[in-house]
Amino acid sequence: GFQMVQSFSWSNLPILNEWHRLFPDEDPVELHRKFWHRRLVCPGGGEYRWNEELQTMESTVFVCPAAPRDGPTLPAAIKQIKSANLGLSFETNGLRARIQLERKE
């Protein structure tokens, strides 16, 4: 639940801190997107920003391990999922995605 989402959020901080260290005048999130073609997003729905006082990147939802804050947990509907079977295939002129969810009883 909450700790898993918080952990996922904080797992982005080391690379963002490294981008900030190497390129202090650039936005670390934008640099990561530019280099890896992926935008790092906070799973809690927040943004990443520099915390001058703590000298680290932080989530606007969970802050950082040095100053943790309670944030949102997984939505109730997601907590009811027992398993998920996900598939992706290429078809003529398109892409097909299939998702099969099994609910907890």
Side-chain angles (χ1 to χ4, degrees):
F2 167 76
Q3 290 177 333
M4 181 176 68
V5 177
Q6 184 183 56
S7 178
F8 286 150
S9 176
W10 289 349
S11 69
N12 290 327
L13 298 181
I15 190 60
L16 293 174
N17 281 332
E18 187 64 10
W19 291 135
H20 184 270
R21 184 185 72 79
L22 293 171
F23 305 96
D25 296 329
E26 303 285 334
D27 174 13
V29 176
E30 182 57 27
L31 275 174
H32 191 85
R33 189 203 57 76
K34 178 180 166 185
F35 293 141
W36 294 99
H37 306 288
R38 292 219 143 203
R39 181 169 177 78
L40 294 177
V41 295
C42 174
E47 301 285 327
Y48 290 112
R49 66 181 178 200
W50 180 251
N51 182 318
E52 189 64 36
E53 181 182 335
L54 296 173
Q55 292 291 295
T56 184
M57 291 296 291
E58 67 178 8
S59 158
T60 56
V61 176
F62 301 107
V63 189
C64 67
R69 176 188 315 146
D70 289 341
T73 61
L74 293 173
I78 292 176
K79 292 179 184 179
Q80 296 301 315
I81 297 173
K82 178 179 179 182
S83 66
N85 186 5
L86 311 171
L88 186 65
S89 60
F90 295 94
E91 295 187 355
T92 306
N93 297 321
L95 184 68
R96 179 180 179 186
R98 181 177 178 184
I99 301 171
Q100 180 180 5
L101 303 174
E102 183 179 353
R103 292 180 67 181
K104 294 178 183 176
E105 295 187 25

